[in-house]
Amino acid sequence: MLIKIQSAADVQPSEITPESIYQKRRDFLRNSIGIGLSLAAAGAFSPLLAKPDLKLNQLVKSKYSTDEKQTDFKDITSYNNFYELGTSKKDPSRYAHELKTEPWSVTIAGECEKPGKLTLEDFIKPHALEERIYRLRCVEGWSMVIPWVGFSLADVLKRFQPTSKAKYVAFETLFDPKNLHGQRRRVLDWPYVEGLRMDEAMNPLAMLAVGLYGQVLPNQNGAPLRLVVPWKYGFKSIKSIVKISFSEKQPPATWNVSQPSEYGFYSNVNPAVPHPRWSQKRERRIGEFRKRKTLPFNGYGEQVASLYSGMDLKKYF
Ligand code: MTE
């Protein structure tokens, strides 16, 4: 296979941050510190948005963080699932440049009092960033421990004032087939969509991530904004979000639409319910050889099991 290596001369003008956007970001950073964001957010924000390669050390660590060994940065950023950038594990890092994250906006729609379209900066601004070290268990049988940087999804949703009709929240990934070569193939129904029941979305464990290992989220991990739901299989953690909407009815979820007999809407990590083609009892932590036992709700049962009391989780898998 012939792999084209990009040289500086190959960089398209569209890949270079325009001066106006760069300047706007600088102004924004100065202002956000000026209006008194919490220390954690102020400390985190400037390097996150202005200097992607700077390590953060001032982040508040969430109480939900695991102290298990963190997966290597290299593995987290080079062994990915992001079908918009190709279907093999190496494709997302190889084709990461296809994802254009500037400018970026997030549309808020549906059953809420404050719908609208926000720039990424305005979307993130009110929220204090923190570090949350979570396990992520992929439906394919591997897992990682990832130090995310982000904020609580519940705080975001409350801000837009969902109405009493809002029973679910739906998420949508950028649709840009011109640049994202994976979207020019019909492997999935594009754009990638996901959804949560409102009480799941409001659980304090659910988060939106803008970074990992103290750096801006690499494109292959779902820059500039992705969902992280640690008690569900990895495919619920939708990447590169451009739209969040509230609905009365259960929204479509890409893998559930694609293969309903294999992927349910809930997709809670559950060793007692095998995938039709393989067991879910064990998993391999990336970087280790031995297999581990998979835990119900990926080990987060204490925080989330009550969301499903009375439900038959074999039926609602
Ligand atoms: N989001 C989008 N938009 N497209 C995808 O293909 N893959 C999902 C999820 N989010 C995917 C996505 C799957 S299957 C997994 S396991 C996780 O992203 C992987 O996240 P990671 O690459 O950051 O580990």
Side-chain angles (χ1 to χ4, degrees), residues 28 117-127 159-160:
F28 164 68
K117 190 172 175 177
L118 286 83
T119 63
L120 181 67
E121 280 81 359
D122 285 340
F123 183 85
I124 298 173
K125 194 158 44 182
H127 302 286
R159 201 175 135 203
F160 301 106

Side-chain angles (χ1 to χ4, degrees), residues 296-311:
F297 301 109
N298 200 21
Y300 297 99
E302 202 182 309
Q303 288 86 7
V304 301
S306 62
L307 293 168
Y308 310 100
S309 55
M311 275 175 76

Side-chain angles (χ1 to χ4, degrees), residues 75-77 79-86 89 92 136-140 142 144 146 148 172-174 183 188 190-194 212 217-218 220-222 226-227 233-241 254-255:
D75 289 330
I76 295 173
T77 56
Y79 189 83
N80 300 100
N81 275 332
F82 197 175
Y83 277 26
E84 287 84 341
L85 297 174
K89 298 285 179 277
L136 179 93
R137 166 63 157 83
C138 180
V139 74
E140 294 164 311
W142 47 268
M144 297 193 189
I146 305 178
W148 300 108
E172 195 174 304
T173 294
L174 175 71
Q183 288 182 335
L188 290 173
W190 307 112
Y192 197 101
V193 289
E194 257 307 338
L212 61 83
L217 213 51
Q220 58 268 38
N221 293 93
R226 69 162 305 162
L227 184 65
Y233 290 119
F235 64 86
K236 296 294 285 185
S237 293
I238 181 173
K239 296 176 168 181
S240 305
I241 296 168
T254 290
W255 281 100

Side-chain angles (χ1 to χ4, degrees), residues 133-165:
I133 307 164
Y134 281 165
R135 292 178 290 276
L136 179 93
R137 166 63 157 83
C138 180
V139 74
E140 294 164 311
W142 47 268
S143 62
M144 297 193 189
V145 175
I146 305 178
W148 300 108
V149 178
F151 40 85
S152 149
L153 175 63
D155 289 348
V156 171
L157 301 184
K158 281 182 211 148
R159 201 175 135 203
F160 301 106
Q161 299 177 8
T163 68
S164 59
K165 281 188 173 168

